[in-house]
Amino acid sequence: MSNDTRPVWAAIDLQALRHNYRVLQKLCHPGGVMPIVKADAYGHGAVEAVGALWADGARAFGVAYLEEALELRERFAQARILVMGPSLPTQAAAFVAACDGDIMPAVASWDQAVAFSQAACEAGKTLGVHIKVDTGMGRLGFLVAPSPADSSEPVAQLIQRVSRLPGLRLEGIYTHLTDADEQVSIADEQWGLFQRVRSDLLELDVSIPIQHIANSAGILRWAGRADRVADYSRPGIVLYGISPSADPRPPADFRPVLSLRSRITHIKDLPAGHSVSYNRTYFAPGPIRFAILPLGYADGLRRDLSNLGQVLIRGRRAPIIGRVCMDQTMVDVTGIPDAAVGDETVLIGRSGQDEITAGEMAGWCRTIPYEIVCGISKRVPRVYS
């Protein structure tokens, strides 16, 4: 990689992305796969990711917000795009104006359904929607009470009322798993509640063609469970070759799609006792040699990595020393005497026989790998292969 402006880049392996999609197709068979490409495909580049997946037959995608859907529709006019995030009733007219059957919003409340209905009728359109039910996440969705007696109006009856609103066409119903990565019993309970709602709807003569429930962790938990395969599964983080948690881990044939790389721009020697970077949080224990990397927290390299994280240089680990700055990060290369200005440095990815994963970096930061890859800023160019 050569970059004459600033030697920092995120390398995106689109062939690895396509490979992961094909693995997921096998895990989710006979249901379909709806790749989730919100948040710019988790920092990987939504337009480029959809283009690669389109070549392998993907036609339905999930995003969070309308602007994400519109960006994709400019390039992929035939794509079916589910907008899963929240929206205000005042946004209903904008959705109706944009949605000509290919963009479908989630409906998560009665007031939202009424607003969509009114906007669709005023525009003389029929708006396809997916009903979101809350089976335990405690976030968006029509709340499914654990016991029907706990609700003043059973959720199926409320959805039946939604189905009677003019201008709306109920195309799908879905829920979101809250803890499939850690507690399979909770995921099982959510599955049971979801199926109860679907059964109640059928008794009310409300037929919704498409159902979907499994996220990345759900797909891995329920792999091989034919009774848990819905019409769609919604892989997010695992699609990009990153495990949603330590257990369950993705099969070994999933491949990381993103690596974050830089080059050494400066090398300097310091005497024992000299401090490095802001706030003097690091003092050289002896004579040291350190390298400067031209990226920092403005690029998404979290400040939590100060005096804690590591990078790979010539296949060997070099610790981050001192505070991570907005635009620069210092690493100790005393133990890598052949390190030189211009050397490639791997912050996420493989160098030689060693590898730093997004999950390992997340562990250093006491967060999740989602936040690591989504946090790589637009200032970092994406290089696709």
Side-chain angles (χ1 to χ4, degrees):
M1 162 69 189
S2 177
N3 189 330
D4 294 331
T5 56
R6 187 171 63 112
V8 175
W9 68 100
I12 310 297
D13 184 349
L14 295 176
Q15 297 309 309
L17 179 68
R18 295 177 64 183
H19 167 83
N20 295 342
Y21 176 73
R22 290 191 289 268
V23 172
L24 285 162
Q25 284 181 305
K26 294 177 182 177
L27 289 178
C28 299
H29 184 76
V33 175
M34 178 190 292
I36 303 303
V37 293
K38 63 181 180 176
D40 202 28
Y42 293 54
H44 293 68
V47 170
E48 293 79 7
V50 169
L53 296 168
W54 191 271
D56 268 329
R59 294 294 182 268
F61 303 89
V63 299
Y65 297 113
L66 179 59
E67 59 265 30
E68 295 177 326
L70 293 176
E71 179 188 24
L72 292 179
R73 190 173 68 172
E74 288 182 4
R75 296 283 297 274
F76 307 97
Q78 303 304 313
R80 302 280 287 169
I81 305 170
L82 174 63
V83 181
M84 300 181 293
S87 63
L88 290 168
T90 53
Q91 294 177 276
F95 266 95
V96 171
C99 301
D100 292 322
D102 54 350
I103 298 176
M104 301 161 289
V107 169
S109 72
W110 171 254
D111 289 344
Q112 189 184 33
V114 170
F116 279 135
S117 171
Q118 291 174 346
C121 290
E122 289 172 3
K125 292 184 176 181
T126 298
L127 181 65
V129 300
H130 282 230
I131 298 294
K132 174 71 178 291
V133 294
D134 178 4
T135 58
M137 175 63 83
R139 204 171 58 177
L140 285 179
F142 295 93
L143 182 62
V144 183
S147 169
D150 295 334
S151 176
S152 57
E153 180 179 15
V155 67
Q157 292 183 15
L158 183 53
I159 295 171
Q160 182 188 46
R161 286 203 287 135
V162 172
S163 72
R164 293 171 176 169
L165 289 172
L168 298 186
R169 181 178 63 253
L170 275 54
E171 294 197 2
I173 183 170
Y174 73 106
T175 193
H176 192 58
L177 299 175
T178 179
D179 207 9
D181 50 347
E182 294 184 3
Q183 298 189 56
V184 66
S185 62
I186 300 299
D188 289 342
E189 290 176 13
Q190 288 189 257
W191 172 265
L193 290 174
F194 187 55
Q195 294 309 305
R196 191 189 80 197
V197 171
R198 293 188 69 245
S199 176
D200 291 347
L201 286 170
L202 290 175
E203 289 185 7
L204 294 172
D205 200 28
V206 178
S207 177
I208 304 178
I210 298 171
Q211 64 163 335
H212 45 106
I213 180 171
N215 56 5
S216 290
I219 292 168
L220 299 178
R221 281 291 186 197
W222 294 335
R225 291 283 304 272
D227 61 318
R228 297 297 167 88
V229 175
D231 298 294
Y232 277 116
S233 294
R234 306 187 308 267
I237 198 74
V238 74
L239 179 67
Y240 307 100
I242 300 171
S243 176
S245 65
D247 178 37
R249 301 189 67 85
D253 52 355
F254 275 88
R255 301 173 186 170
V257 175
L258 177 146
S259 64
L260 179 61
R261 299 172 184 267
S262 178
R263 293 193 185 277
I264 295 173
T265 53
H266 189 76
I267 290 181
K268 185 174 180 177
D269 294 301
L270 281 182
H274 203 291
S275 65
V276 174
S277 194
Y278 289 109
N279 305 126
R280 294 164 60 85
T281 63
Y282 176 88
F283 292 88
I288 66 167
R289 171 166 287 192
F290 73 93
I292 296 177
L293 310 180
L295 78 167
Y297 58 77
D299 303 286
L301 191 68
R302 291 176 53 127
R303 199 165 180 260
D304 308 70
L305 296 167
S306 303
N307 297 306
L308 183 62
Q310 301 173 1
V311 304
L312 296 174
I313 299 172
R314 299 188 177 222
R316 286 169 282 179
R317 295 203 171 209
I320 294 173
I321 57 175
R323 295 284 195 207
V324 172
C325 307
M326 182 181 290
D327 314 300
Q328 300 175 55
T329 299
M330 283 59 68
V331 297
D332 186 348
V333 294
T334 308
I336 311 175
D338 51 347
V341 170
D343 277 359
E344 183 176 278
T345 302
V346 177
L347 297 104
I348 299 173
R350 179 171 293 279
S351 176
Q353 300 301 309
D354 204 352
E355 181 180 21
I356 294 174
T357 65
E360 183 176 11
M361 183 179 284
W364 294 331
C365 297
R366 295 186 176 184
T367 186
I368 54 177
Y370 301 73
E371 189 172 11
I372 296 298
V373 291
C374 289
I376 299 173
S377 77
K378 290 291 189 181
R379 196 167 76 163
V380 177
R382 272 59 170 175
V383 178
Y384 296 91
S385 62

